[in-house]
Amino acid sequence: MSHPPLTARFLSAGDTALVVELGDTIDRAISDRVLALGSAVEAAALQGVVELVPTFRSLMIHYDPLRLDRETLERSIRPLLDRLGAVAGHGRLWRLPCCYGGEHGPDLDEVADRTDHTPAEVIAIHSASTYHIYALGFLPGYPYMGDVPEALSLPRRESPRMRVPMGSVCIALRMAGIYSLDSPGGWHLLGRTPVRLFDVRRKAAVLLSPGDQVQFEPVTAETYAQLEMQAADGRLAIAPAELAR
């Protein structure tokens, strides 16, 4: 998909990073452009660029100031903005098992009640959606995903929990997430996946990436328990399907 030339803001983040802002809202089109710019910068192989961090609306480019100065980096980035339509990016599609309700999804019944659905309808709506990963953050490997169907949109919980178990599948407003580690949190917990999003035993400790897509496949508590044992032992293998963007 081609886009018109972009108006971007270039902001310094200290003396080792440059932020390129491409919008001011949570929007799939903006996210696609951020990811396309990241692909373009990678393809350009600019000397001195250390790391790229895509967010909802911007790309942070970390660089080595001993090898690359800010002005040169900005001059190198500007021509790429006009050619983003020619940049082809690829994400991955992940189908993650999720055990909804009960001890794994303690907020399912409340979400159903507040959205005028049955628990089964909430599960059906949530698992029928495909979620786009806008960014990673908060915890190592934690995906900020959209877009939750309007039928399930609720504000964050008034009282956050002190501990949310790793793997908890959650929603708040139009966003979805998966807790990659045990953590405090104030989102609504619908279920839990046994898949480890952050596991230092893997070559790539972080499983998901911005631009990937996620679908949830409902499983029973018995199946979840079996998969959780495999995950704990490092034997649970989840293979993605390639997804053309």
Side-chain angles (χ1 to χ4, degrees):
M1 178 183 300
S2 63
H3 300 288
L6 295 176
T7 300
R9 295 181 65 207
F10 290 81
L11 304 172
S12 293
D15 58 359
T16 61
L18 177 67
V19 175
V20 185
E21 286 191 348
L22 299 181
D24 57 6
T25 60
I26 298 175
D27 180 271
R28 279 294 302 273
I30 293 174
S31 176
D32 286 344
R33 294 180 183 189
V34 169
L35 297 171
L37 179 59
S39 295
V41 174
E42 285 185 347
L46 302 176
Q47 295 297 313
V49 171
V50 175
E51 183 181 10
L52 305 177
V53 182
T55 73
F56 288 100
R57 60 190 184 91
S58 65
L59 180 71
M60 175 176 280
I61 305 171
H62 292 269
Y63 61 92
D64 181 349
L66 299 180
R67 302 174 62 197
L68 179 66
D69 62 81
R70 181 203 187 282
E71 290 73 20
T72 300
L73 177 57
E74 181 175 337
R75 285 198 303 269
S76 300
I77 296 300
R78 286 190 178 277
L80 301 179
L81 294 171
D82 297 332
R83 303 196 299 268
L84 291 188
V87 177
H90 291 82
R92 298 165 294 176
L93 174 63
W94 299 88
R95 296 186 176 94
L96 305 183
C98 179
C99 181
Y100 287 92
E103 63 177 311
H104 301 307
D107 295 328
L108 176 63
D109 290 343
E110 179 182 353
V111 169
D113 183 64
R114 293 180 61 184
T115 59
D116 295 323
H117 293 94
T118 66
E121 288 172 339
V122 171
I123 294 172
I125 294 170
H126 184 265
S127 62
S129 300
T130 299
Y131 299 95
H132 170 79
I133 299 180
Y134 286 94
L136 301 180
F138 170 53
L139 297 169
Y142 181 101
Y144 285 96
M145 304 185 294
D147 296 283
V148 171
E150 183 65 37
L152 300 183
S153 179
L154 289 173
R156 291 166 54 95
R157 288 172 52 86
E158 292 184 4
S159 299
R161 291 180 170 89
M162 293 299 296
R163 177 183 176 275
V164 174
M166 174 180 63
S168 293
V169 174
C170 57
I171 60 173
L173 298 173
R174 299 296 301 279
M175 300 302 298
I178 307 171
Y179 285 82
S180 55
L181 298 170
D182 291 356
S183 168
W187 290 25
H188 303 279
L189 309 183
L190 298 183
R192 193 174 177 192
T193 180
V195 177
R196 302 302 200 256
L197 302 191
F198 178 72
D199 192 336
V200 295
R201 296 172 297 183
R202 291 192 302 254
K203 182 177 180 180
V206 174
L207 184 67
L208 307 176
S209 300
D212 286 356
Q213 296 189 12
V214 172
Q215 296 173 346
F216 294 101
E217 298 184 343
V219 298
T220 65
E222 292 74 17
T223 297
Y224 173 88
Q226 295 171 1
L227 295 175
E228 170 60 29
M229 290 179 61
Q230 296 176 26
D233 294 339
R235 295 181 290 111
L236 181 60
I238 300 293
E242 288 302 316
L243 176 72
R245 292 183 50 243

PDB file of all heavy atoms in Angstrom, residues 33-67:
ATOM      1  N   ARG A  33       3.251   2.701   8.921  1.00  0.00           N
ATOM      2  CA  ARG A  33       4.301   3.603   8.446  1.00  0.00           C
ATOM      3  C   ARG A  33       5.519   3.564   9.367  1.00  0.00           C
ATOM      4  O   ARG A  33       6.657   3.616   8.900  1.00  0.00           O
ATOM      5  CB  ARG A  33       3.751   5.020   8.320  1.00  0.00           C
ATOM      6  CG  ARG A  33       2.678   5.144   7.248  1.00  0.00           C
ATOM      7  CD  ARG A  33       2.151   6.560   7.131  1.00  0.00           C
ATOM      8  NE  ARG A  33       1.067   6.638   6.153  1.00  0.00           N
ATOM      9  CZ  ARG A  33       0.525   7.755   5.719  1.00  0.00           C
ATOM     10  NH1 ARG A  33       0.963   8.909   6.191  1.00  0.00           N
ATOM     11  NH2 ARG A  33      -0.445   7.741   4.824  1.00  0.00           N
ATOM     12  N   VAL A  34       5.275   3.493  10.669  1.00  0.00           N
ATOM     13  CA  VAL A  34       6.394   3.366  11.616  1.00  0.00           C
ATOM     14  C   VAL A  34       7.195   2.099  11.312  1.00  0.00           C
ATOM     15  O   VAL A  34       8.431   2.116  11.253  1.00  0.00           O
ATOM     16  CB  VAL A  34       5.873   3.344  13.064  1.00  0.00           C
ATOM     17  CG1 VAL A  34       6.985   2.937  14.036  1.00  0.00           C
ATOM     18  CG2 VAL A  34       5.309   4.700  13.461  1.00  0.00           C
ATOM     19  N   LEU A  35       6.484   0.995  11.103  1.00  0.00           N
ATOM     20  CA  LEU A  35       7.154  -0.275  10.832  1.00  0.00           C
ATOM     21  C   LEU A  35       7.853  -0.247   9.479  1.00  0.00           C
ATOM     22  O   LEU A  35       8.949  -0.806   9.315  1.00  0.00           O
ATOM     23  CB  LEU A  35       6.145  -1.418  10.893  1.00  0.00           C
ATOM     24  CG  LEU A  35       5.497  -1.633  12.267  1.00  0.00           C
ATOM     25  CD1 LEU A  35       4.364  -2.645  12.176  1.00  0.00           C
ATOM     26  CD2 LEU A  35       6.528  -2.092  13.289  1.00  0.00           C
ATOM     27  N   ALA A  36       7.220   0.399   8.494  1.00  0.00           N
ATOM     28  CA  ALA A  36       7.845   0.519   7.179  1.00  0.00           C
ATOM     29  C   ALA A  36       9.114   1.356   7.261  1.00  0.00           C
ATOM     30  O   ALA A  36      10.126   1.039   6.613  1.00  0.00           O
ATOM     31  CB  ALA A  36       6.870   1.135   6.190  1.00  0.00           C
ATOM     32  N   LEU A  37       9.086   2.433   8.053  1.00  0.00           N
ATOM     33  CA  LEU A  37      10.291   3.247   8.226  1.00  0.00           C
ATOM     34  C   LEU A  37      11.386   2.419   8.887  1.00  0.00           C
ATOM     35  O   LEU A  37      12.556   2.502   8.493  1.00  0.00           O
ATOM     36  CB  LEU A  37       9.987   4.494   9.057  1.00  0.00           C
ATOM     37  CG  LEU A  37      11.187   5.410   9.330  1.00  0.00           C
ATOM     38  CD1 LEU A  37      11.816   5.899   8.030  1.00  0.00           C
ATOM     39  CD2 LEU A  37      10.774   6.593  10.201  1.00  0.00           C
ATOM     40  N   GLY A  38      11.025   1.620   9.884  1.00  0.00           N
ATOM     41  CA  GLY A  38      12.015   0.754  10.517  1.00  0.00           C
ATOM     42  C   GLY A  38      12.656  -0.190   9.514  1.00  0.00           C
ATOM     43  O   GLY A  38      13.881  -0.392   9.517  1.00  0.00           O
ATOM     44  N   SER A  39      11.836  -0.768   8.625  1.00  0.00           N
ATOM     45  CA  SER A  39      12.365  -1.662   7.590  1.00  0.00           C
ATOM     46  C   SER A  39      13.285  -0.904   6.644  1.00  0.00           C
ATOM     47  O   SER A  39      14.334  -1.416   6.221  1.00  0.00           O
ATOM     48  CB  SER A  39      11.218  -2.297   6.806  1.00  0.00           C
ATOM     49  OG  SER A  39      10.436  -3.134   7.635  1.00  0.00           O
ATOM     50  N   ALA A  40      12.906   0.330   6.308  1.00  0.00           N
ATOM     51  CA  ALA A  40      13.720   1.133   5.399  1.00  0.00           C
ATOM     52  C   ALA A  40      15.068   1.489   6.022  1.00  0.00           C
ATOM     53  O   ALA A  40      16.105   1.466   5.355  1.00  0.00           O
ATOM     54  CB  ALA A  40      12.968   2.398   5.016  1.00  0.00           C
ATOM     55  N   VAL A  41      15.065   1.829   7.312  1.00  0.00           N
ATOM     56  CA  VAL A  41      16.316   2.158   7.992  1.00  0.00           C
ATOM     57  C   VAL A  41      17.209   0.923   8.062  1.00  0.00           C
ATOM     58  O   VAL A  41      18.429   1.000   7.841  1.00  0.00           O
ATOM     59  CB  VAL A  41      16.035   2.714   9.398  1.00  0.00           C
ATOM     60  CG1 VAL A  41      17.338   2.908  10.167  1.00  0.00           C
ATOM     61  CG2 VAL A  41      15.275   4.036   9.315  1.00  0.00           C
ATOM     62  N   GLU A  42      16.615  -0.229   8.355  1.00  0.00           N
ATOM     63  CA  GLU A  42      17.406  -1.460   8.379  1.00  0.00           C
ATOM     64  C   GLU A  42      18.028  -1.739   7.019  1.00  0.00           C
ATOM     65  O   GLU A  42      19.202  -2.108   6.906  1.00  0.00           O
ATOM     66  CB  GLU A  42      16.530  -2.639   8.806  1.00  0.00           C
ATOM     67  CG  GLU A  42      16.199  -2.673  10.279  1.00  0.00           C
ATOM     68  CD  GLU A  42      15.422  -3.925  10.649  1.00  0.00           C
ATOM     69  OE1 GLU A  42      14.931  -4.621   9.721  1.00  0.00           O
ATOM     70  OE2 GLU A  42      15.315  -4.212  11.853  1.00  0.00           O
ATOM     71  N   ALA A  43      17.222  -1.583   5.961  1.00  0.00           N
ATOM     72  CA  ALA A  43      17.711  -1.851   4.608  1.00  0.00           C
ATOM     73  C   ALA A  43      18.823  -0.879   4.219  1.00  0.00           C
ATOM     74  O   ALA A  43      19.735  -1.235   3.465  1.00  0.00           O
ATOM     75  CB  ALA A  43      16.561  -1.779   3.613  1.00  0.00           C
ATOM     76  N   ALA A  44      18.752   0.342   4.722  1.00  0.00           N
ATOM     77  CA  ALA A  44      19.768   1.334   4.393  1.00  0.00           C
ATOM     78  C   ALA A  44      21.113   1.037   5.053  1.00  0.00           C
ATOM     79  O   ALA A  44      22.154   1.541   4.606  1.00  0.00           O
ATOM     80  CB  ALA A  44      19.289   2.731   4.797  1.00  0.00           C
ATOM     81  N   ALA A  45      21.094   0.225   6.110  1.00  0.00           N
ATOM     82  CA  ALA A  45      22.325  -0.191   6.803  1.00  0.00           C
ATOM     83  C   ALA A  45      23.218   1.006   7.134  1.00  0.00           C
ATOM     84  O   ALA A  45      24.411   1.024   6.809  1.00  0.00           O
ATOM     85  CB  ALA A  45      23.086  -1.221   5.956  1.00  0.00           C
ATOM     86  N   LEU A  46      22.634   1.994   7.781  1.00  0.00           N
ATOM     87  CA  LEU A  46      23.369   3.209   8.118  1.00  0.00           C
ATOM     88  C   LEU A  46      24.429   2.921   9.170  1.00  0.00           C
ATOM     89  O   LEU A  46      24.136   2.340  10.230  1.00  0.00           O
ATOM     90  CB  LEU A  46      22.404   4.281   8.627  1.00  0.00           C
ATOM     91  CG  LEU A  46      21.269   4.675   7.672  1.00  0.00           C
ATOM     92  CD1 LEU A  46      20.334   5.660   8.350  1.00  0.00           C
ATOM     93  CD2 LEU A  46      21.834   5.257   6.390  1.00  0.00           C
ATOM     94  N   GLN A  47      25.649   3.300   8.888  1.00  0.00           N
ATOM     95  CA  GLN A  47      26.735   3.089   9.830  1.00  0.00           C
ATOM     96  C   GLN A  47      26.491   3.895  11.100  1.00  0.00           C
ATOM     97  O   GLN A  47      26.216   5.095  11.026  1.00  0.00           O
ATOM     98  CB  GLN A  47      28.070   3.492   9.202  1.00  0.00           C
ATOM     99  CG  GLN A  47      28.487   2.632   8.025  1.00  0.00           C
ATOM    100  CD  GLN A  47      28.711   1.180   8.440  1.00  0.00           C
ATOM    101  OE1 GLN A  47      29.384   0.912   9.442  1.00  0.00           O
ATOM    102  NE2 GLN A  47      28.143   0.250   7.684  1.00  0.00           N
ATOM    103  N   GLY A  48      26.582   3.247  12.249  1.00  0.00           N
ATOM    104  CA  GLY A  48      26.400   3.931  13.530  1.00  0.00           C
ATOM    105  C   GLY A  48      25.046   3.726  14.151  1.00  0.00           C
ATOM    106  O   GLY A  48      24.864   4.020  15.334  1.00  0.00           O
ATOM    107  N   VAL A  49      24.064   3.231  13.380  1.00  0.00           N
ATOM    108  CA  VAL A  49      22.753   2.927  13.959  1.00  0.00           C
ATOM    109  C   VAL A  49      22.871   1.653  14.793  1.00  0.00           C
ATOM    110  O   VAL A  49      23.357   0.625  14.314  1.00  0.00           O
ATOM    111  CB  VAL A  49      21.685   2.767  12.860  1.00  0.00           C
ATOM    112  CG1 VAL A  49      20.381   2.224  13.454  1.00  0.00           C
ATOM    113  CG2 VAL A  49      21.430   4.101  12.176  1.00  0.00           C
ATOM    114  N   VAL A  50      22.413   1.724  16.030  1.00  0.00           N
ATOM    115  CA  VAL A  50      22.598   0.621  16.975  1.00  0.00           C
ATOM    116  C   VAL A  50      21.325  -0.202  17.145  1.00  0.00           C
ATOM    117  O   VAL A  50      21.365  -1.433  17.162  1.00  0.00           O
ATOM    118  CB  VAL A  50      23.059   1.171  18.350  1.00  0.00           C
ATOM    119  CG1 VAL A  50      23.147   0.052  19.377  1.00  0.00           C
ATOM    120  CG2 VAL A  50      24.382   1.888  18.207  1.00  0.00           C
ATOM    121  N   GLU A  51      20.170   0.472  17.287  1.00  0.00           N
ATOM    122  CA  GLU A  51      18.926  -0.240  17.578  1.00  0.00           C
ATOM    123  C   GLU A  51      17.733   0.604  17.147  1.00  0.00           C
ATOM    124  O   GLU A  51      17.791   1.842  17.192  1.00  0.00           O
ATOM    125  CB  GLU A  51      18.818  -0.539  19.084  1.00  0.00           C
ATOM    126  CG  GLU A  51      17.597  -1.350  19.484  1.00  0.00           C
ATOM    127  CD  GLU A  51      17.518  -1.605  20.979  1.00  0.00           C
ATOM    128  OE1 GLU A  51      18.305  -0.990  21.729  1.00  0.00           O
ATOM    129  OE2 GLU A  51      16.669  -2.415  21.393  1.00  0.00           O
ATOM    130  N   LEU A  52      16.666  -0.075  16.728  1.00  0.00           N
ATOM    131  CA  LEU A  52      15.424   0.589  16.354  1.00  0.00           C
ATOM    132  C   LEU A  52      14.325   0.156  17.308  1.00  0.00           C
ATOM    133  O   LEU A  52      14.165  -1.039  17.573  1.00  0.00           O
ATOM    134  CB  LEU A  52      15.030   0.230  14.918  1.00  0.00           C
ATOM    135  CG  LEU A  52      16.072   0.504  13.836  1.00  0.00           C
ATOM    136  CD1 LEU A  52      15.558   0.027  12.483  1.00  0.00           C
ATOM    137  CD2 LEU A  52      16.432   1.978  13.782  1.00  0.00           C
ATOM    138  N   VAL A  53      13.541   1.119  17.811  1.00  0.00           N
ATOM    139  CA  VAL A  53      12.457   0.823  18.743  1.00  0.00           C
ATOM    140  C   VAL A  53      11.169   1.446  18.211  1.00  0.00           C
ATOM    141  O   VAL A  53      10.929   2.646  18.369  1.00  0.00           O
ATOM    142  CB  VAL A  53      12.752   1.366  20.157  1.00  0.00           C
ATOM    143  CG1 VAL A  53      11.615   0.987  21.108  1.00  0.00           C
ATOM    144  CG2 VAL A  53      14.080   0.826  20.674  1.00  0.00           C
ATOM    145  N   PRO A  54      10.309   0.642  17.556  1.00  0.00           N
ATOM    146  CA  PRO A  54       9.030   1.179  17.085  1.00  0.00           C
ATOM    147  C   PRO A  54       8.035   1.319  18.224  1.00  0.00           C
ATOM    148  O   PRO A  54       7.976   0.481  19.128  1.00  0.00           O
ATOM    149  CB  PRO A  54       8.564   0.133  16.069  1.00  0.00           C
ATOM    150  CG  PRO A  54       9.233  -1.133  16.491  1.00  0.00           C
ATOM    151  CD  PRO A  54      10.531  -0.736  17.135  1.00  0.00           C
ATOM    152  N   THR A  55       7.241   2.383  18.191  1.00  0.00           N
ATOM    153  CA  THR A  55       6.180   2.598  19.168  1.00  0.00           C
ATOM    154  C   THR A  55       4.869   2.789  18.408  1.00  0.00           C
ATOM    155  O   THR A  55       4.796   2.575  17.200  1.00  0.00           O
ATOM    156  CB  THR A  55       6.464   3.833  20.041  1.00  0.00           C
ATOM    157  OG1 THR A  55       6.265   5.024  19.266  1.00  0.00           O
ATOM    158  CG2 THR A  55       7.885   3.804  20.585  1.00  0.00           C
ATOM    159  N   PHE A  56       3.818   3.195  19.116  1.00  0.00           N
ATOM    160  CA  PHE A  56       2.528   3.409  18.473  1.00  0.00           C
ATOM    161  C   PHE A  56       2.622   4.403  17.313  1.00  0.00           C
ATOM    162  O   PHE A  56       1.987   4.225  16.288  1.00  0.00           O
ATOM    163  CB  PHE A  56       1.512   3.953  19.484  1.00  0.00           C
ATOM    164  CG  PHE A  56       1.057   2.938  20.488  1.00  0.00           C
ATOM    165  CD1 PHE A  56       1.596   2.923  21.761  1.00  0.00           C
ATOM    166  CD2 PHE A  56       0.079   2.021  20.169  1.00  0.00           C
ATOM    167  CE1 PHE A  56       1.161   2.004  22.707  1.00  0.00           C
ATOM    168  CE2 PHE A  56      -0.360   1.100  21.098  1.00  0.00           C
ATOM    169  CZ  PHE A  56       0.179   1.083  22.366  1.00  0.00           C
ATOM    170  N   ARG A  57       3.395   5.475  17.492  1.00  0.00           N
ATOM    171  CA  ARG A  57       3.366   6.562  16.513  1.00  0.00           C
ATOM    172  C   ARG A  57       4.739   7.097  16.141  1.00  0.00           C
ATOM    173  O   ARG A  57       4.848   8.095  15.436  1.00  0.00           O
ATOM    174  CB  ARG A  57       2.524   7.718  17.066  1.00  0.00           C
ATOM    175  CG  ARG A  57       3.058   8.299  18.375  1.00  0.00           C
ATOM    176  CD  ARG A  57       2.070   9.256  19.014  1.00  0.00           C
ATOM    177  NE  ARG A  57       2.605   9.876  20.218  1.00  0.00           N
ATOM    178  CZ  ARG A  57       3.262  11.028  20.246  1.00  0.00           C
ATOM    179  NH1 ARG A  57       3.474  11.668  19.124  1.00  0.00           N
ATOM    180  NH2 ARG A  57       3.684  11.529  21.384  1.00  0.00           N
ATOM    181  N   SER A  58       5.785   6.444  16.585  1.00  0.00           N
ATOM    182  CA  SER A  58       7.120   6.950  16.300  1.00  0.00           C
ATOM    183  C   SER A  58       8.132   5.816  16.246  1.00  0.00           C
ATOM    184  O   SER A  58       7.876   4.696  16.699  1.00  0.00           O
ATOM    185  CB  SER A  58       7.549   7.967  17.370  1.00  0.00           C
ATOM    186  OG  SER A  58       7.684   7.327  18.633  1.00  0.00           O
ATOM    187  N   LEU A  59       9.277   6.134  15.667  1.00  0.00           N
ATOM    188  CA  LEU A  59      10.402   5.208  15.642  1.00  0.00           C
ATOM    189  C   LEU A  59      11.565   5.871  16.363  1.00  0.00           C
ATOM    190  O   LEU A  59      11.985   6.971  15.988  1.00  0.00           O
ATOM    191  CB  LEU A  59      10.797   4.881  14.201  1.00  0.00           C
ATOM    192  CG  LEU A  59      11.969   3.911  14.039  1.00  0.00           C
ATOM    193  CD1 LEU A  59      11.548   2.498  14.452  1.00  0.00           C
ATOM    194  CD2 LEU A  59      12.481   3.912  12.602  1.00  0.00           C
ATOM    195  N   MET A  60      12.072   5.204  17.404  1.00  0.00           N
ATOM    196  CA  MET A  60      13.264   5.699  18.080  1.00  0.00           C
ATOM    197  C   MET A  60      14.476   4.984  17.489  1.00  0.00           C
ATOM    198  O   MET A  60      14.516   3.758  17.429  1.00  0.00           O
ATOM    199  CB  MET A  60      13.185   5.464  19.591  1.00  0.00           C
ATOM    200  CG  MET A  60      14.462   5.866  20.331  1.00  0.00           C
ATOM    201  SD  MET A  60      14.344   5.688  22.137  1.00  0.00           S
ATOM    202  CE  MET A  60      13.445   7.190  22.551  1.00  0.00           C
ATOM    203  N   ILE A  61      15.444   5.784  17.058  1.00  0.00           N
ATOM    204  CA  ILE A  61      16.649   5.253  16.435  1.00  0.00           C
ATOM    205  C   ILE A  61      17.829   5.527  17.359  1.00  0.00           C
ATOM    206  O   ILE A  61      18.245   6.680  17.532  1.00  0.00           O
ATOM    207  CB  ILE A  61      16.884   5.903  15.062  1.00  0.00           C
ATOM    208  CG1 ILE A  61      15.645   5.741  14.170  1.00  0.00           C
ATOM    209  CG2 ILE A  61      18.119   5.301  14.390  1.00  0.00           C
ATOM    210  CD1 ILE A  61      15.715   6.531  12.880  1.00  0.00           C
ATOM    211  N   HIS A  62      18.346   4.483  17.975  1.00  0.00           N
ATOM    212  CA  HIS A  62      19.530   4.617  18.823  1.00  0.00           C
ATOM    213  C   HIS A  62      20.778   4.576  17.944  1.00  0.00           C
ATOM    214  O   HIS A  62      20.874   3.744  17.036  1.00  0.00           O
ATOM    215  CB  HIS A  62      19.587   3.490  19.855  1.00  0.00           C
ATOM    216  CG  HIS A  62      18.506   3.562  20.884  1.00  0.00           C
ATOM    217  ND1 HIS A  62      18.666   4.228  22.082  1.00  0.00           N
ATOM    218  CD2 HIS A  62      17.240   3.071  20.884  1.00  0.00           C
ATOM    219  CE1 HIS A  62      17.544   4.131  22.790  1.00  0.00           C
ATOM    220  NE2 HIS A  62      16.669   3.441  22.087  1.00  0.00           N
ATOM    221  N   TYR A  63      21.732   5.458  18.217  1.00  0.00           N
ATOM    222  CA  TYR A  63      22.941   5.504  17.396  1.00  0.00           C
ATOM    223  C   TYR A  63      24.170   5.750  18.268  1.00  0.00           C
ATOM    224  O   TYR A  63      24.075   6.229  19.411  1.00  0.00           O
ATOM    225  CB  TYR A  63      22.822   6.592  16.319  1.00  0.00           C
ATOM    226  CG  TYR A  63      22.652   7.996  16.851  1.00  0.00           C
ATOM    227  CD1 TYR A  63      23.750   8.826  17.072  1.00  0.00           C
ATOM    228  CD2 TYR A  63      21.382   8.510  17.136  1.00  0.00           C
ATOM    229  CE1 TYR A  63      23.594  10.112  17.562  1.00  0.00           C
ATOM    230  CE2 TYR A  63      21.214   9.799  17.615  1.00  0.00           C
ATOM    231  CZ  TYR A  63      22.327  10.593  17.825  1.00  0.00           C
ATOM    232  OH  TYR A  63      22.172  11.864  18.321  1.00  0.00           O
ATOM    233  N   ASP A  64      25.320   5.412  17.708  1.00  0.00           N
ATOM    234  CA  ASP A  64      26.602   5.624  18.373  1.00  0.00           C
ATOM    235  C   ASP A  64      27.104   7.009  17.985  1.00  0.00           C
ATOM    236  O   ASP A  64      27.467   7.244  16.829  1.00  0.00           O
ATOM    237  CB  ASP A  64      27.589   4.555  17.917  1.00  0.00           C
ATOM    238  CG  ASP A  64      28.951   4.672  18.588  1.00  0.00           C
ATOM    239  OD1 ASP A  64      29.205   5.701  19.250  1.00  0.00           O
ATOM    240  OD2 ASP A  64      29.768   3.744  18.422  1.00  0.00           O
ATOM    241  N   PRO A  65      27.118   7.966  18.913  1.00  0.00           N
ATOM    242  CA  PRO A  65      27.511   9.339  18.572  1.00  0.00           C
ATOM    243  C   PRO A  65      28.976   9.470  18.167  1.00  0.00           C
ATOM    244  O   PRO A  65      29.375  10.504  17.620  1.00  0.00           O
ATOM    245  CB  PRO A  65      27.194  10.122  19.851  1.00  0.00           C
ATOM    246  CG  PRO A  65      27.287   9.110  20.945  1.00  0.00           C
ATOM    247  CD  PRO A  65      26.786   7.823  20.348  1.00  0.00           C
ATOM    248  N   LEU A  66      29.788   8.451  18.408  1.00  0.00           N
ATOM    249  CA  LEU A  66      31.186   8.485  17.976  1.00  0.00           C
ATOM    250  C   LEU A  66      31.319   8.092  16.509  1.00  0.00           C
ATOM    251  O   LEU A  66      32.376   8.303  15.899  1.00  0.00           O
ATOM    252  CB  LEU A  66      32.031   7.554  18.850  1.00  0.00           C
ATOM    253  CG  LEU A  66      32.074   7.890  20.345  1.00  0.00           C
ATOM    254  CD1 LEU A  66      32.948   6.888  21.082  1.00  0.00           C
ATOM    255  CD2 LEU A  66      32.580   9.314  20.558  1.00  0.00           C
ATOM    256  N   ARG A  67      30.234   7.516  15.962  1.00  0.00           N
ATOM    257  CA  ARG A  67      30.275   7.084  14.553  1.00  0.00           C
ATOM    258  C   ARG A  67      29.262   7.823  13.687  1.00  0.00           C
ATOM    259  O   ARG A  67      29.388   7.836  12.453  1.00  0.00           O
ATOM    260  CB  ARG A  67      29.998   5.580  14.474  1.00  0.00           C
ATOM    261  CG  ARG A  67      30.966   4.724  15.258  1.00  0.00           C
ATOM    262  CD  ARG A  67      30.518   3.279  15.241  1.00  0.00           C
ATOM    263  NE  ARG A  67      30.487   2.736  13.886  1.00  0.00           N
ATOM    264  CZ  ARG A  67      29.836   1.634  13.554  1.00  0.00           C
ATOM    265  NH1 ARG A  67      29.125   0.977  14.473  1.00  0.00           N
ATOM    266  NH2 ARG A  67      29.867   1.193  12.309  1.00  0.00           N
TER     267      ARG A  67
END
